[in-house]
Amino acid sequence: MALRQLGRTLNSFLASPSTLGGLSQLPVRNFGSAVAHDDHEEDTGPVVTPTVFDKLITLNVVDMQGHRHAVKAMVGKSLSQALIEHGFPETFFFPRLTFYTQHIVDCHVFLPHTAWNLVPSFEEKSEEAVAIKRMFRDIVQDYAKETSFFASFVDLTHEWDNMTIGIGPIRPWMLHTNYAFDGVHDIKTSQFSKPFVEIFG
C-alpha cells in the first residue's frame, strides 16, 4: 500500500504545470552528442599518430667520384649508419681508432660550414678527441681539409635535412689482427690490396 501511495504522489507531482515549468528550465545534457562538451574541455581536433616518415630526412651526398646520391636517413641515427645503409663501398669506411671502439664503423666526410654548429665538441684528452686525432693522423693524412670530420660522431637531426655532404678519401689501412679489439673489423683481410697503414689496437 505504501508503495502504491508513493507512486500516485509522484505522478501527481510530475503532472503539475508548475512542476513541468520548473523542469523545462533545467539544462539538457546530450550525452554522446557533439554539443555535449564540458565547459573546460577544448576541441583539439583529431589525434595525429607520428609515423616513420616524420623522422625521415634526405642527405645530398657527393662521393669521391663526384656522383651525387639522395640518401634517405632516419633522425637519431649517426651519419655513418646512414651512409652504410645506403650501400656505399666498404673501401669508404674504417674503424674508429680507439681500442674499445674499433667495432664502430667510421667514414671521412666533408661538412658544409652551416653544419658545424650541429657537430659535437670534445675535451682535449677525451676518448673521442683521441680517436679523431688518430684517424686524421693515420687514415686521412694529407687528404684532410678545413671541413673534414668523421661520420660516426654526427647524430642526425631534422636540421640535417637537405644538407650536402661530401665523402672524403682515405689512405690504405689494415687492422693488425694480433692486437686488435674483437670487433667487426678484426679480420685478416684489408680494405685495400696493399695496406699503407697498419693499425695496432
Side-chain angles (χ1 to χ4, degrees), residues 22-167:
L23 289 175
S24 66
Q25 303 301 316
L26 293 176
V28 177
R29 189 175 185 88
N30 295 321
F31 294 98
S33 171
V35 299
H37 290 292
D38 287 332
D39 293 337
H40 64 278
E41 291 179 349
E42 294 183 5
D43 189 0
T44 57
V47 176
V48 179
T49 304
T51 67
V52 68
F53 298 103
D54 298 324
K55 299 181 67 178
L56 193 65
I57 62 173
T58 302
L59 303 169
N60 303 310
V61 179
V62 181
D63 65 24
M64 286 181 273
Q65 287 72 44
H67 301 137
R68 293 181 173 270
H69 306 261
V71 175
K72 300 295 183 182
M74 295 293 292
V75 168
K77 289 192 173 184
S78 72
L79 175 56
S80 182
Q81 287 176 298
L83 298 176
I84 293 167
E85 290 172 4
H86 185 75
F88 286 107
E90 287 185 356
T91 51
F92 287 11
F93 302 98
F94 49 88
R96 185 191 286 186
L97 296 190
T98 58
F99 188 81
Y100 290 106
T101 60
Q102 292 173 12
H103 61 290
I104 299 175
V105 181
D106 220 323
C107 181
H108 175 212
V109 291
F110 300 125
L111 304 180
H113 291 287
T114 53
W116 280 97
N117 63 322
L118 305 174
V119 173
S121 58
F122 302 105
E123 295 292 332
E124 180 75 16
K125 295 183 179 180
S126 66
E127 183 175 299
E128 293 85 357
V130 170
I132 290 170
K133 291 177 184 177
R134 189 174 180 190
M135 288 187 290
F136 272 123
R137 182 195 71 192
D138 294 344
I139 301 295
V140 178
Q141 297 190 29
D142 53 343
Y143 288 130
K145 294 184 178 180
E146 184 182 347
T147 57
S148 290
F149 200 57
F150 297 101
S152 74
F153 294 100
V154 175
D155 293 323
L156 296 173
T157 61
H158 285 289
E159 287 82 359
W160 287 92
D161 194 26
N162 290 318
M163 287 259 192
T164 298
I165 296 163
I167 295 180

Side-chain angles (χ1 to χ4, degrees), residues 5-33:
Q5 183 62 35
L6 179 61
R8 289 173 182 168
T9 304
L10 287 174
N11 286 335
S12 62
F13 174 76
L14 293 174
S16 171
S18 60
T19 302
L20 292 175
L23 289 175
S24 66
Q25 303 301 316
L26 293 176
V28 177
R29 189 175 185 88
N30 295 321
F31 294 98
S33 171

Side-chain angles (χ1 to χ4, degrees), residues 138-143 169-174 192 196-197:
D138 294 344
I139 301 295
V140 178
Q141 297 190 29
D142 53 343
Y143 288 130
I170 58 175
R171 290 295 179 187
W173 61 273
M174 182 179 72
F192 299 88
F196 182 86
V197 176

